């Protein structure tokens, strides 16, 4: 029995985006080992036969000692388990576990999900980490064209890769829902960690300007506070009726259904699930014109794009949407759903992963037999 190990920073990364792959691996008689900090979603997988390693991890922290401890933990688990292939998700697990897999000669597949825009020394440092962590990968899964070009150039086109439509979207779980027939109150969702890099400052300024002109608009924010400095401001704006804080919702489907559109002003993404999930339900999307967002939006057809960090352009895009008749908004939502069916089905991603896992495990098996 071949053993597949998946390493992630959060349990919901497995549950929300990899469930179909994990269940299919179990159905194909692979032994599946999950590695991440414990969360309640892990129980779903262990009940089905997965094994689990609970680790401590600060996914965005920069504490050297904590990161060295994480490296040591990954090293112990990899040496103990000796998996046939390792799947890594997001930057820190992909770089650290990837480096160790390379040293231990364990095949691994990288899925980074977005490159941060950095400058100066930190930019050079990050590029060095990418080279160290990914240069010996068996495959890199690229979620957007920019990431593909930048990393391929860093690795001198020496690493096998596949292009995937992000994590894809489960079209059954996020099924099409009829568009709201009433425009008396038009609801815009914002779904993201509340922090600067997710465009919260631009979203707040946009909401202020729109509310001055339109009485029938409601901006609802969903997500945890990535930066506490925004909490007081958002609470004050909520009291003024400028926006509403909807908290952290494990199940966003009812709130997507209730919305007329989503606004996603993020500074960087791999391939954002916010856009994919709203589109699958049949809701138009308004987002930053950046890789990882623009691939999911056909500008003027399934939603609107605006220039990154440009509040004026963002306000203009929102106004263009608001000025559409309800029937046109509904047509946009239908086209968004069709785009997801054609280009972003989760099944596409799962099948690509299975192809690569089978390729790698067959290669390992063939070489063992040869020896």
């Amino acid at each position: 029995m071949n053993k597949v190990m998946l390493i992630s920073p959060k349990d919901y990364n497995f549950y929300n985006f990899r469930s179909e792959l994990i269940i299919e691996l179990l159905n194909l008689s692979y032994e599946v080992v999950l590695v991440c900090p414990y969360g309640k979603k892990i129980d779903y997988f262990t009940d089905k036969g997965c094994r689990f390693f609970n680790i401590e991890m600060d996914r965005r922290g920069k504490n050297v000692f904590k990161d060295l401890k994480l490296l040591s933990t990954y090293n112990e688990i990899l040496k103990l388990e000796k998996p046939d292939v390792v799947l890594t998700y997001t930057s820190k697990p992909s770089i650290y576990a990837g480096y160790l897999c390379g040293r231990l000669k364990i095949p691994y597949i990288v899925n980074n999900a977005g490159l941060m825009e950095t400058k100066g020394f930190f930019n050079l440092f990050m590029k060095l980490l990418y080279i160290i962590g990914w240069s010996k990968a068996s495959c890199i899964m690229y979620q957007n064209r920019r990431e593909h070009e930048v990393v391929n150039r860093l690795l001198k086109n020496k690493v096998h890769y596949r292009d995937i439509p992000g994590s894809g979207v489960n079209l059954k779980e996020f099924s099409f829902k009829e568009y709201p027939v009433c425009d008396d109150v038009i609801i815009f969702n914002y779904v993201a960690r509340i922090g600067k890099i997710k465009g919260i400052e631009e979203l707040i300024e946009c909401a202020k300007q729109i509310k001055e002109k339109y009485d029938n608009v409601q901006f609802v924010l969903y997500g945890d506070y990535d930066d506490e400095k925004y909490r007081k401001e958002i609470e004050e704006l909520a009291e003024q009726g400028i926006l509403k804080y909807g908290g952290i919702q494990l199940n966003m489907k009812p709130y997507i259904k209730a919305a007329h559109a989503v606004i996603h002003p993020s500074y960087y993404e791999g391939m954002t699930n916010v856009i994919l999930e709203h589109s699958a339900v049949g809701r138009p999307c308004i987002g930053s014109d950046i890789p990882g967002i623009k691939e999911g939006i056909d500008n003027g057809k399934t939603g609107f794009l605006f220039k990154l960090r440009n509040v004026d352009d963002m306000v203009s895009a929102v106004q263009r949407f608001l000025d559409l008749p309800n029937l046109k908004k509904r047509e946009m939502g239908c086209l968004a759903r069709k785009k997801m069916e054609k280009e972003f089905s989760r099944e596409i991603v799962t099948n690509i992963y299975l192809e690569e896992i089978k390729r790698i495990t067959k290669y390992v098996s063939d070489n063992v037999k040869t020896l």
Side-chain angles (χ1 to χ4, degrees):
M1 180 187 293
N2 290 120
K3 184 188 296 184
V4 180
M5 179 179 289
L6 294 86
I7 304 178
S8 167
K10 288 284 187 178
D11 61 319
Y12 71 72
N13 188 292
F14 293 139
Y15 186 82
N16 291 355
F17 313 130
R18 327 291 170 200
S19 289
E20 295 85 355
L21 173 61
I22 293 170
I23 299 305
E24 187 59 24
L25 287 170
L26 292 172
N27 290 339
L28 293 170
S29 297
Y30 285 89
E31 182 179 0
V32 179
V33 181
L34 306 180
V35 180
C36 75
Y38 175 76
K40 292 183 179 179
K41 301 291 187 184
I42 289 297
D43 298 341
Y44 170 81
F45 297 110
T46 54
D47 288 345
K48 293 184 179 300
C50 295
R51 291 194 297 110
F52 170 64
F53 282 89
N54 181 20
I55 65 169
E56 293 183 9
M57 177 183 178
D58 183 355
R59 60 180 178 147
R60 292 188 295 276
K62 299 176 182 178
N63 185 300
V64 174
F65 297 103
K66 287 185 178 180
D67 282 4
L68 287 174
K69 183 179 179 181
L70 179 63
L71 267 171
S72 177
T73 301
Y74 282 156
N75 192 51
E76 289 176 9
I77 294 171
L78 289 167
K79 284 184 174 180
L80 175 68
E81 290 293 319
K82 298 180 176 61
D84 295 290
V85 60
V86 174
L87 315 183
T88 66
Y89 298 96
T90 76
S91 292
K92 190 172 284 190
S94 292
I95 291 170
Y96 291 0
Y99 163 70
L100 291 169
C101 285
R103 288 194 61 187
L104 297 170
K105 301 188 185 307
I106 298 172
Y108 64 106
I109 299 174
V110 170
N111 188 327
N112 179 55
L115 299 174
M116 289 189 65
E117 297 284 353
T118 56
K119 297 180 180 179
F121 171 78
F122 189 68
N123 184 50
L124 294 174
F125 180 65
M126 286 304 300
K127 287 181 178 179
L128 178 61
L129 287 180
Y130 292 145
I131 293 170
I132 291 172
W134 303 345
S135 60
K136 295 183 179 179
S138 299
C139 181
I140 296 181
M141 300 289 184
Y142 292 121
Q143 296 198 19
N144 63 62
R145 194 66 194 175
R146 177 183 173 275
E147 184 171 298
H148 175 141
E149 292 171 353
V150 170
V151 177
N152 252 14
R153 190 160 55 246
L154 280 175
L155 302 180
K156 299 181 179 179
N157 298 305
K158 292 182 178 180
V159 178
H160 174 66
Y161 67 85
R162 299 291 296 268
D163 291 317
I164 58 173
S167 300
V169 60
N170 187 318
L171 296 170
K172 292 181 179 178
E173 184 176 352
F174 289 90
S175 59
F176 179 81
K177 303 297 181 185
E178 287 298 326
Y179 197 78
V181 296
C182 181
D183 276 356
D184 289 349
V185 178
I186 297 178
I187 299 173
F188 290 105
N189 284 350
Y190 166 96
V191 186
R193 303 189 311 271
I194 296 176
K196 185 177 178 65
I197 62 172
K198 291 298 183 179
I200 188 61
E201 294 178 6
E202 291 79 6
L203 186 281
I204 288 172
E205 184 57 35
C206 175
K208 290 177 181 177
Q209 293 188 31
I210 291 294
K211 290 290 285 187
E212 288 179 357
K213 300 178 180 179
Y214 299 85
D215 294 329
N216 65 327
V217 175
Q218 185 177 79
F219 294 86
V220 188
L221 280 58
Y222 298 98
D224 197 4
Y225 282 90
D226 212 28
D227 192 330
E228 284 293 325
K229 75 177 184 180
Y230 296 107
R231 186 183 293 273
K232 184 178 179 181
E233 181 180 10
I234 287 172
E235 289 175 349
E236 291 174 351
L237 291 171
E239 290 178 1
Q240 298 168 27
I242 303 297
L243 49 78
K244 178 181 176 182
Y245 180 56
I248 304 168
Q249 301 297 334
L250 296 178
N251 179 14
M252 275 299 301
K253 290 188 281 294
Y255 305 100
I256 297 175
K257 178 183 177 182
H260 291 71
V262 66
I263 302 177
H264 199 53
S266 180
Y267 292 4
Y268 82 97
E269 295 287 343
M271 183 67 68
T272 173
N273 292 288
V274 172
I275 297 297
L276 304 190
E277 290 169 2
H278 279 76
S279 295
V281 176
R283 300 300 178 262
C285 302
I286 302 171
S288 308
D289 188 8
I290 63 167
I293 292 180
K294 64 182 180 181
E295 290 90 348
I297 300 174
D298 289 339
N299 194 28
K301 295 181 179 179
T302 69
F304 295 105
L305 295 168
F306 55 83
K307 295 175 184 176
L308 178 63
R309 307 189 197 193
N310 189 318
V311 174
D312 291 340
D313 202 39
M314 183 176 172
V315 170
S316 176
V318 173
Q319 287 180 324
R320 287 174 66 191
F321 177 80
L322 288 170
D323 292 342
L324 294 173
N326 183 272
L327 179 60
K328 183 61 179 176
K329 296 186 183 86
R330 189 179 308 174
E331 289 175 356
M332 273 191 161
C334 290
L335 290 174
R337 170 68 186 191
K338 290 178 180 178
K339 180 178 178 66
M340 295 303 105
E341 292 173 347
K342 182 179 179 182
E343 302 175 28
F344 289 93
S345 169
R346 177 74 52 81
E347 188 176 343
I348 296 171
V349 180
T350 298
N351 288 339
I352 290 174
Y353 260 98
L354 290 174
E355 287 173 10
E356 291 303 315
I357 291 168
K358 290 175 182 177
R359 177 184 67 82
I360 292 167
T361 53
K362 182 178 185 301
Y363 174 82
V364 171
S365 298
D366 288 349
N367 277 270
V368 170
K369 290 176 183 178
T370 301
L371 292 174

